[in-house]
Amino acid sequence: MTAVTSRSPVSFLSGKPLRLIAAAILLVNGMFPALWILFTSLKTESELTRTPISWFPHEPTFANYMRAFSDQPLHLFLFNSFMVALLSTALTLFVSVLAAYALARLELRFRGLILSVIVAVSTFPLVTLLVPLFEIMRSLGFLNTWVALVLPYTVLSLPICTLMLISFFEAIPRDLENAAMIDGCTRIGALFKVVVPLCAPGVFTAGILAFVNAWDEFLLALSFNSNPSLRTLPVGIQLYQGEFAFPWPVISAALVVGIVPVAILIVIFQERVVSGLTAGGIKG
């Protein structure tokens, strides 16, 4: 008699079919909104409101992209967002590298308490910090400047970047730093000449996260800058809507333009980001 073998539910749940289904769900969930925005940006307003709904543009047009730059100073929004995100990312990486190295290497008395505070701070909802941050920026005279956004963005990105880099620094053998210091490097010199280059995937990953957080942030950018020349992209996009109308094709075109820089950044550093996330997940 031939034995009939059947796959158990456990083997199915941990097998290739479920992984493929999960990957398909993630792909659709991640790609569908982006594709829908792209298709909408290529439609005319009449085609967008036509019934039954059309998924693909029948007569693609790039006029919406021209309007996105002519109706509002989109180039200025992009410049402001890029500069704020770049400055906050650089400051975040500098501070988080020093903080993570201290927590990973130095014999700190209250290390556990410090890590607990970092984790707790990272869970605070942004809306609860809005009023205190606004009062601090106002008292320092930083409102309506890039600094009013750079400093809060740095503070908000520091916890996750610091926690991520700690696991990378702990995996670097101390002998490498000791050898560098024997050759004449200071501890700071050994950090930036030996440790940081060896942790490049983690540093790039932390930098990408900090940049994207600053690029996408809306609430603080709306509250701290009322100067039209300092508006960032998320705040500027809301200006396309009228009092009684929403030009969705033009708004979608502006969104596509805003997505492109981040997409290019991720594509360029894709290998480093993936290796950084994978290594951080294994070591953490």
Side-chain angles (χ1 to χ4, degrees):
M1 174 181 281
T2 303
V4 178
T5 59
S6 61
R7 298 184 62 184
S8 65
V10 175
S11 63
F12 174 78
L13 291 177
S14 60
K16 187 176 180 180
L18 185 62
R19 291 199 296 268
L20 291 176
I21 294 173
I25 292 174
L26 291 175
L27 181 63
V28 171
N29 182 65
M31 293 298 296
F32 179 76
L35 291 176
W36 181 254
I37 292 173
L38 176 61
F39 294 153
T40 302
S41 70
L42 299 174
K43 295 180 180 179
T44 61
E45 299 236 3
S46 60
E47 183 179 357
L48 185 64
T49 57
R50 186 183 305 164
T51 55
I53 188 172
S54 61
W55 296 97
F56 302 98
H58 296 295
E59 298 178 359
T61 175
F62 290 96
N64 297 317
Y65 289 89
M66 302 298 294
R67 284 189 56 190
F69 282 93
S70 61
D71 290 0
Q72 297 290 339
L74 184 59
H75 62 284
L76 182 61
F77 302 154
L78 290 169
F79 176 75
N80 289 334
S81 288
F82 179 78
M83 292 304 299
V84 168
L86 183 65
L87 292 173
S88 64
T89 300
L91 185 57
T92 298
L93 288 179
F94 179 75
V95 178
S96 61
V97 162
L98 296 178
Y101 182 79
L103 291 169
R105 285 291 191 261
L106 304 183
E107 299 296 333
L108 300 178
R109 184 177 180 183
F110 300 103
R111 182 178 183 275
L113 177 60
I114 295 174
L115 289 174
S116 300
V117 171
I118 292 176
V119 173
V121 169
S122 65
T123 63
F124 286 176
L126 180 58
V127 67
T128 63
L129 304 175
L130 178 61
V131 174
L133 287 174
F134 182 88
E135 289 299 322
I136 292 173
M137 293 299 110
R138 185 180 62 83
S139 62
L140 294 175
F142 289 155
L143 293 180
N144 292 319
T145 65
W146 284 347
V147 180
L149 298 180
V150 171
L151 292 182
Y153 291 170
T154 300
V155 173
L156 294 174
S157 297
L158 272 177
I160 184 63
C161 292
T162 301
L163 293 173
M164 178 180 295
L165 291 175
I166 287 175
S167 63
F168 283 92
F169 290 164
E170 289 178 340
I172 302 298
R174 294 176 181 265
D175 295 341
L176 297 177
E177 300 166 61
N178 295 334
M181 287 188 284
I182 291 175
D183 289 339
C185 277
T186 61
R187 182 175 287 274
I188 295 295
L191 168 61
F192 286 101
K193 293 180 181 180
V194 177
V195 179
V196 171
L198 292 175
C199 297
V203 174
F204 274 101
T205 304
I208 294 293
L209 291 176
F211 187 92
V212 172
N213 288 339
W215 184 269
D216 293 339
E217 203 283 323
F218 173 79
L219 183 59
L220 298 184
L222 177 66
S223 304
F224 293 175
N225 278 339
S226 58
N227 189 338
S229 63
L230 295 175
R231 290 192 179 108
T232 57
L233 184 64
V235 177
I237 287 178
Q238 71 163 350
L239 300 178
Y240 287 96
Q241 68 184 47
E243 185 177 359
F244 303 105
F246 290 84
W248 290 117
V250 180
I251 295 175
S252 298
L255 288 172
V256 172
V257 173
I259 293 172
V260 167
V262 177
I264 293 175
L265 192 65
I266 293 177
V267 169
I268 293 175
F269 300 109
Q270 178 182 5
E271 292 185 2
R272 292 185 177 271
V273 171
V274 172
S275 61
L277 290 173
T278 304
I282 294 175
K283 295 167 188 171

